[in-house]
Amino acid sequence: MTNTVFLLFGATGDLARRKLYPAIYSLYRERKLGDRFAVIGLARRPRTNDQFREDVLESIKEFARYNVTRDEQWESFAEHFEYMSLDINDVEGFKELSRATQRLDKKFDVGGNRLFYLALAPELFGNVSHNLKAGGLLETSGWTRLVIEKPFGYDLPSAEKLNAEIREVFEEQDVYRIDHYLGKEMVQNINVLRFANAIFEPLWNNKYISNIQITLSETVGVEERGGYYDHSGALRDMGQNHMLQMLAMMAMEPPSRLSPEDIRDEKVKVFRSLRWFQDSAEVRANTVRGQYTAGNMKGKQVPGYRQEESVDQQSTTETYFAARVFVDNFRWAGVPFYIRTGKRLPVKTTEVVVEFKNVPNNVYLSKKHKLEPNLLVFRVNPMEGIYFKMNAKQPGSDGAIVPVAMDFCQSCQVGLNTPEAYERLLHDAARGDSTYFTRWDEVALAWQYVDKIAAAWREDSDNLHSYPAGTWGPEAAQQLLAEDGFRWWPVNGQDEGEVTWEFTQR
Ligand code: BG6
């Protein structure tokens, strides 16, 4: 049931503008939302309903997948939007909000459901939750759900505190913690590909897989987020959440049922099996951290991290990190998971590469040729697809063997018009499907893992490498794999000279 009043805190902010209004509009256009909904935009600055609807229109024009014109359809959509200026410390304001919510509920026949979306700084989550209760907004005949954005804390103690504040008001099952990577089409496809194809499961273990590589590379610097980022760094900004979540999706056991709790239980088991680093020597041996200096990105000179706005000129915050992670269970014992992420790298891409063990080297073909291992690659972002790399005879040659790729390019099939992560996640939250939201125990375990690394890095301050913007990060990250006899596979396309077979959907 998606009938709901969306109460959107942070309605004039960037997230609302870029992601949330366009997502609501797409859901409406695709008839996933129906007509029994209302959106109340909440922020401090004064705005009339008309001004607010104008802002929403502009954001949809700029960022939505669907074109919008100021016609009848737009008018009937915009009618569902209202704005209220609110001081989040003022309980009286929340009481007024409660009355406005009831009025809109009645007008659009919503039936009592409330979805509170906090696109706000996490320090405010506790206060807002309390005032929602004090203002009477939770006294309703329908459901009430809280959707919150990352960062969920700075470390385990701060996350625990935040969680305790929220849980004084909301039950765990009503808290929807967003990790927008879990809303991405290809991240959700990991489970489908693994569990809906009989050929993969028998191979999905340490007997056949030599290593797994997860790369989240970005070309952007810290942009205008220097203030937040300098306090956070790559490990907290991407590692604790997106990267460990993707790792869990790759490593988890098949769930006994497809219910959100069963799926999340399996992810928790992966987090519990992570091999924790015992001391700073282990952290040093298994992680690499770096910070970008000035460099050249596609012919354009860009400043170094320490010259970015709102960044401390002596900052030792990492803008890059790589790690070798082990999942100590029967399936994965001995298989390294290499993860890396960084800002100001040469391309924007998210890819997961599964490298299979090579054929035994005393078998006749591998005696004569240097065979490349098979790779299964999930291309998550911005291009979506899957490709599989194998060895084949070069046509017309005298037995030469070349790597070829079977490439299923999903973006080529559906265009770049696949639903945005936020569309899926908003829709899921409104219909009560929490599968792709992070449960508290996952968040807590991920912090525990990351806190060990952060603590060792603090002690070991000379471990920060630098890398020029526009390069693939510190050389030490190449070494990390070379020590094990591996290398990072090139991302964003195939190696040169490779033959590609395209797959078309039937
Ligand atoms: C966010 C991080 O969670 O993810 C950003 O805070 C990062 O620093 C972003 O740029 C990347 O998301 P995407 O979807 O563009 O890969």
Side-chain angles (χ1 to χ4, degrees):
M1 188 167 54
T2 50
N3 324 335
T4 181
V5 179
F6 293 91
L7 292 107
L8 234 163
F9 291 77
T12 52
D14 221 37
L15 182 77
R17 217 167 58 81
R18 283 172 184 272
K19 302 288 184 189
L20 303 181
Y21 302 136
I24 294 173
Y25 186 63
S26 299
L27 292 175
Y28 181 75
R29 286 286 295 259
E30 291 178 356
R31 308 291 308 156
K32 289 182 179 150
L33 201 53
D35 286 310
R36 294 172 63 192
F37 78 98
V39 178
I40 308 183
L42 299 154
R44 213 180 164 124
R45 77 173 75 142
R47 226 138 184 73
T48 64
N49 285 338
D50 283 345
Q51 282 171 328
F52 177 52
R53 289 172 188 159
E54 233 10 72
D55 294 344
V56 172
L57 177 63
E58 286 313 309
S59 89
I60 291 171
K61 276 188 181 159
E62 197 174 346
F63 299 109
R65 304 192 280 129
Y66 288 100
N67 289 334
V68 61
T69 41
R70 208 187 283 272
D71 56 9
E72 237 174 74
Q73 190 182 30
W74 164 255
E75 293 303 334
S76 51
F77 174 72
E79 213 198 330
H80 294 255
F81 283 68
E82 289 202 4
Y83 183 84
M84 193 181 135
S85 152
L86 179 75
D87 170 357
I88 55 168
N89 297 312
D90 173 24
V91 182
E92 289 309 310
F94 278 80
K95 289 184 182 157
E96 193 189 328
L97 176 61
S98 178
R99 290 189 287 275
T101 308
Q102 281 165 25
R103 176 175 51 77
L104 284 170
D105 186 308
K106 209 156 161 207
K107 180 170 171 191
F108 294 108
D109 187 24
V110 171
N113 300 333
R114 311 279 182 258
L115 191 143
F116 306 106
Y117 197 117
L118 311 194
L120 298 172
E123 304 83 84
L124 308 174
F125 294 170
N127 223 353
V128 171
S129 304
H130 276 277
N131 286 340
L132 286 172
K133 190 173 180 188
L137 279 128
L138 305 183
E139 292 154 27
T140 171
S141 55
W143 49 254
T144 52
R145 295 184 188 134
L146 182 74
V147 181
I148 46 184
E149 279 289 331
K150 68 175 264 279
F152 198 81
Y154 171 80
D155 53 13
L156 182 61
S158 59
E160 277 171 337
K161 183 165 170 276
L162 193 58
N163 199 47
E165 285 171 5
I166 292 169
R167 290 292 312 281
E168 278 174 29
V169 180
F170 290 92
E171 297 291 337
E172 172 64 29
Q173 78 216 32
D174 298 324
V175 181
Y176 287 68
R177 297 179 193 81
I178 289 214
D179 181 316
H180 78 281
Y181 262 72
L182 291 179
K184 291 192 192 275
E185 193 67 54
M186 288 308 297
V187 174
Q188 300 191 352
N189 212 351
I190 293 175
N191 275 358
V192 178
L193 203 88
R194 284 189 54 193
F195 304 136
N197 292 294
I199 59 165
F200 292 122
E201 186 52 26
L203 304 180
W204 214 256
N205 55 51
N206 54 7
K207 193 160 174 216
Y208 297 103
I209 292 176
S210 68
N211 72 90
I212 292 182
Q213 306 180 7
I214 303 177
T215 299
L216 264 84
S217 68
E218 296 191 277
T219 49
V220 289
V222 286
E223 316 295 289
E224 64 292 342
R225 297 163 75 222
Y228 149 76
Y229 195 88
D230 206 29
H231 185 60
S232 155
L235 176 67
R236 293 186 174 86
D237 185 47
M238 303 283 260
Q240 188 269 347
N241 36 70
H242 311 324
M243 305 199 78
L244 286 181
Q245 284 293 330
M246 284 203 288
L247 186 150
M249 300 283 284
M250 292 300 290
M252 68 189 254
E253 295 298 316
S256 46
R257 286 172 307 167
L258 279 180
S259 79
E261 296 319 324
D262 289 297
I263 293 173
R264 299 195 294 183
D265 284 349
E266 294 305 335
K267 286 201 284 163
V268 165
K269 286 188 206 157
V270 175
F271 291 129
R272 288 209 187 107
S273 308
L274 291 178
R275 186 187 304 168
W276 288 14
F277 300 121
Q278 296 304 320
D279 51 33
S280 53
E282 271 191 17
V283 171
R284 188 182 262 263
N286 289 288
T287 65
V288 174
R289 61 193 299 255
Q291 188 187 73
Y292 64 84
T293 53
N296 200 292
M297 305 272 315
K298 293 211 171 106
K300 205 175 138 227
Q301 195 59 25
V302 295
Y305 177 67
R306 291 180 186 173
Q307 287 82 56
E308 299 276 17
E309 203 184 304
S310 315
V311 167
D312 181 349
Q313 289 178 5
Q314 257 104 52
S315 172
T316 54
T317 299
E318 79 286 351
T319 58
Y320 175 100
F321 90 93
R324 174 172 35 221
V325 178
F326 285 100
V327 179
D328 285 340
N329 60 19
F330 275 93
R331 187 188 284 267
W332 295 114
V335 178
F337 287 73
Y338 302 107
I339 59 179
R340 64 174 166 169
T341 183
K343 303 242 181 236
R344 288 281 188 232
L345 301 185
V347 289
K348 162 84 182 160
T349 195
T350 301
E351 282 194 10
V352 182
V353 179
V354 180
E355 178 176 334
F356 290 89
K357 287 189 175 164
N358 225 331
V359 288
N361 57 16
N362 52 358
V363 173
Y364 75 108
L365 279 178
S366 52
K367 260 194 205 162
K368 269 178 54 191
H369 302 271
K370 197 178 166 302
L371 298 181
E372 299 253 323
N374 296 133
L375 303 179
L376 178 69
V377 181
F378 294 82
R379 306 178 73 184
V380 175
N381 192 22
M383 293 297 281
E384 294 175 348
I386 299 162
Y387 81 88
F388 183 64
K389 200 167 135 171
M390 57 196 170
N391 296 309
K393 178 176 171 294
Q394 188 170 33
S397 77
D398 210 7
I401 294 182
V402 286
V404 297
M406 293 201 283
D407 193 351
F408 168 56
C409 171
Q410 181 156 285
S411 325
C412 311
Q413 309 262 334
V414 284
L416 286 170
N417 204 20
T418 58
E420 255 280 327
Y422 276 93
E423 286 173 35
R424 239 173 273 121
L425 294 174
L426 263 181
H427 189 226
D428 285 352
R431 59 192 176 139
D433 182 347
S434 54
T435 309
Y436 293 111
F437 295 83
T438 52
R439 208 168 61 187
W440 166 244
D441 46 0
E442 296 176 65
V443 174
L445 285 162
W447 273 126
Q448 266 176 294
Y449 185 74
V450 156
D451 282 355
K452 289 255 178 206
I453 302 176
W457 283 353
R458 257 196 313 275
E459 272 174 36
D460 208 4
S461 54
D462 62 340
N463 66 0
L464 183 71
H465 300 263
S466 59
Y467 61 99
T471 66
W472 273 108
E475 179 53 34
Q478 311 299 325
Q479 279 305 318
L480 194 67
L481 274 70
E483 286 163 12
D484 303 333
F486 301 127
R487 65 177 174 110
W488 291 105
W489 290 99
V491 293
N492 214 25
Q494 298 81 36
D495 285 329
E496 272 180 32
E498 192 170 90
V499 183
T500 302
W501 296 340
E502 273 186 18
F503 268 54
T504 44
Q505 252 166 1
R506 283 162 178 251

